[in-house]
């Protein structure tokens, strides 16, 4: 059987893992599989894997269902990242020197060795600097360890909130942002930024939109909210039922899988 190259988004949450596998064929996205895998209590705390070996054992049966050709994107908690904007230095840097300079600048600001950080960056909208995201290398290494144990072909570890940005082109032009929530945090994204807010500090969607002050937002949910809701599954051209009854829990996994394609 020809499986093609599955694009897989994996969102590790507190008590379960939401996983979506897509295939890009004939210029359209097709759903291949979805999984909602319950976790043994204590396996994940505050979005981070506590024991990669234990989690790998819980995922062994799932791993056997994957084809040889696959690409996996794993969500990383935005709450475990730090975002900064760095201006361009006075000196001219070659492209090969940018990463070293940015990593050094972030390590100085955070007062941490550059070797202890994983750093990603992109140009700001005004192209006068960089938007930098940093995470502790130890946190990333746990996910890499999990991937190695399962022999997964991981091509990216992506901040969960940033995965929402892939849905923005599917929204009406007047909508500037998208939000999603779980039991602990709100995740949000606009065309040029993303982030999180603890639910304990922001009790409702309207409070979140007011606090962000970034224009009109939609909420990722299957419920009708007077035109303020967005169903992430609607962007998939070919859906194979049955679909999960709690479909909004797969939003981040869907965003990761959709964002995996390179044009």
């Amino acid at each position: 059987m020809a499986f093609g190259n599955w694009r897989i988004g994996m969102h590790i949450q507190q008590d379960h893992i939401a996983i979506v596998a897509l295939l890009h064929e004939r210029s359209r996205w097709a759903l291949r599989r979805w999984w909602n895998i319950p976790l043994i209590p204590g396996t994940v705390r505050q979005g981070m894997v506590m024991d990669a070996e234990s989690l790998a054992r819980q995922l062994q049966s799932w791993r056997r269902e994957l084809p040889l050709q696959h690409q996996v994107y794993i969500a990383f908690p935005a709450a475990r990242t730090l975002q900064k904007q760095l201006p361009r230095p006075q000196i001219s840097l070659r492209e090969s020197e940018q990463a070293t300079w940015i990593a050094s600048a972030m390590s100085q600001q955070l007062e941490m060795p550059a070797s202890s950080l994983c750093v990603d960056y992109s140009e700001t909208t005004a192209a006068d600097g960089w938007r930098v995201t940093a995470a502790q290398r130890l946190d990333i290494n746990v996910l890499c360890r999990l991937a190695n144990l399962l022999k997964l072909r991981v091509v990216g570890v992506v901040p969960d909130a940033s995965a929402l940005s892939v849905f923005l082109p599917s929204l009406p032009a007047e909508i500037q942002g998208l939000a999603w929530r779980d039991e602990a945090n709100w995740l949000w994204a606009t065309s040029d930024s993303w982030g999180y807010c603890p639910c304990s500090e922001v009790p409702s969607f309207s409070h979140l939109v007011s606090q962000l002050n970034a224009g009109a937002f939609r909420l990722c949910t299957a419920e009708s909210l007077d035109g303020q809701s967005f169903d992430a599954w609607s962007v998939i051209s070919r859906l194979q039922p049955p679909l999960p009854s709690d479909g909004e829990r797969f939003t981040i996994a869907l965003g990761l899988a959709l964002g995996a394609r390179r044009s």
Side-chain angles (χ1 to χ4, degrees), residues 150-171:
L150 292 170
K151 295 182 171 57
L152 294 174
R153 299 189 175 190
V154 174
V155 291
V157 176
V158 184
D160 48 16
S162 70
L164 292 172
S165 62
V166 75
F167 299 110
L168 295 176
S170 301
L171 297 174

Side-chain angles (χ1 to χ4, degrees), residues 54-253:
S54 172
L55 182 52
R57 288 192 294 271
Q58 295 175 59
L59 293 176
Q60 282 295 341
S61 60
W62 163 77
R63 175 62 181 90
R64 287 192 288 269
E65 298 182 40
L66 301 187
L68 179 62
Q69 295 184 48
H70 67 268
Q71 294 180 335
V72 180
Y73 282 69
I74 303 178
F76 184 84
R80 300 283 295 183
T81 67
L82 181 67
Q83 296 183 68
K84 293 275 190 180
Q85 289 204 11
L86 295 178
R88 290 186 178 274
Q90 298 297 318
I91 59 174
S92 178
L93 296 175
R94 293 191 297 269
E95 187 172 350
S96 60
E97 297 173 324
Q98 288 181 6
T100 301
W101 186 89
I102 290 171
S104 176
M106 287 296 289
S107 69
Q108 291 178 27
Q109 289 200 19
L110 299 176
E111 298 182 349
M112 297 175 64
S115 59
S116 68
L117 298 173
C118 286
V119 176
D120 193 17
Y121 63 94
S122 61
E123 283 193 345
T124 59
T125 305
D128 58 354
W130 295 286
R131 184 179 296 107
V132 185
T133 304
Q136 293 195 48
R137 188 171 297 277
L138 287 175
D139 290 346
I140 301 293
N141 285 347
V142 173
L143 297 179
C144 293
R145 171 66 175 161
L146 174 66
N148 289 334
L149 290 169
L150 292 170
K151 295 182 171 57
L152 294 174
R153 299 189 175 190
V154 174
V155 291
V157 176
V158 184
D160 48 16
S162 70
L164 292 172
S165 62
V166 75
F167 299 110
L168 295 176
S170 301
L171 297 174
E174 67 273 13
I175 304 301
Q176 282 74 48
L178 195 60
W180 177 86
R181 69 165 291 175
D182 60 14
E183 294 79 5
N185 293 305
W186 291 96
L187 304 181
W188 59 269
T190 65
S191 61
D192 59 2
S193 61
W194 51 265
Y196 79 99
C197 296
C199 294
S200 58
E201 299 177 9
V202 184
S204 68
F205 176 57
S206 59
H207 281 84
L208 176 71
V209 175
S210 176
Q211 178 169 306
L212 293 175
N213 192 29
F217 270 64
R218 289 275 175 89
L219 176 64
C220 293
T221 178
E223 300 177 8
S224 177
L225 296 174
D226 297 326
Q228 294 184 319
S229 60
F230 173 73
D231 182 5
W233 291 96
S234 65
V235 306
I236 308 301
S237 300
R238 297 178 56 188
L239 294 171
Q240 297 179 356
L243 295 178
S245 57
D246 50 353
E248 63 268 16
R249 300 182 79 177
F250 292 79
T251 299
I252 302 302

Side-chain angles (χ1 to χ4, degrees), residues 1-6 23 25 32 67 69:
M1 180 181 295
F3 284 98
N5 192 3
W6 284 13
L23 181 64
E25 55 183 9
R32 281 294 170 260
Q69 295 184 48

Side-chain angles (χ1 to χ4, degrees), residues 17-43:
I17 301 181
I19 305 174
V20 174
L22 303 177
L23 181 64
H24 197 253
E25 55 183 9
R26 299 177 183 174
S27 301
R28 298 189 302 174
W29 286 108
L31 175 66
R32 281 294 170 260
R33 290 289 304 276
W34 59 266
W35 299 265
N36 186 17
I37 303 174
L39 297 178
I40 296 173
T43 303

